[in-house]
Amino acid sequence: MSRKCAISGRGPLSVNRRSHSMHATRRKWNVNLQNATIMVDGKPTKVRISARALRTLKKKNAI
């Protein structure tokens, strides 16, 4: 299962980890995915959605 939001399409970021000596090594920064049930075409559907998108949907009363 991919780490990608079903609504917004957000995925993991590849960033640098910095030590005290400023040595850079690559690390992955995953998106905060949550399992949620939302209404799609009048039917409840289970999706993996980012916490930010879930918060926005709740704010707009779309859930």
Side-chain angles (χ1 to χ4, degrees), residues 12-19 23-29:
L13 294 173
S14 186
V15 296
N16 281 326
R17 175 176 291 165
R18 293 286 181 165
S19 67
H23 180 73
T25 55
R26 299 302 279 180
R27 71 180 286 268
K28 192 181 281 192
W29 204 358

Side-chain angles (χ1 to χ4, degrees), residues 27-57:
R27 71 180 286 268
K28 192 181 281 192
W29 204 358
N30 286 320
V31 64
N32 184 7
L33 292 179
Q34 305 293 322
N35 291 318
T37 303
I38 62 173
M39 297 298 278
V40 177
D41 296 329
K43 294 195 281 189
T45 308
K46 283 189 174 185
V47 292
R48 289 184 74 191
I49 185 172
S50 68
R52 174 62 55 155
L54 183 62
R55 192 171 167 213
T56 303
L57 287 175

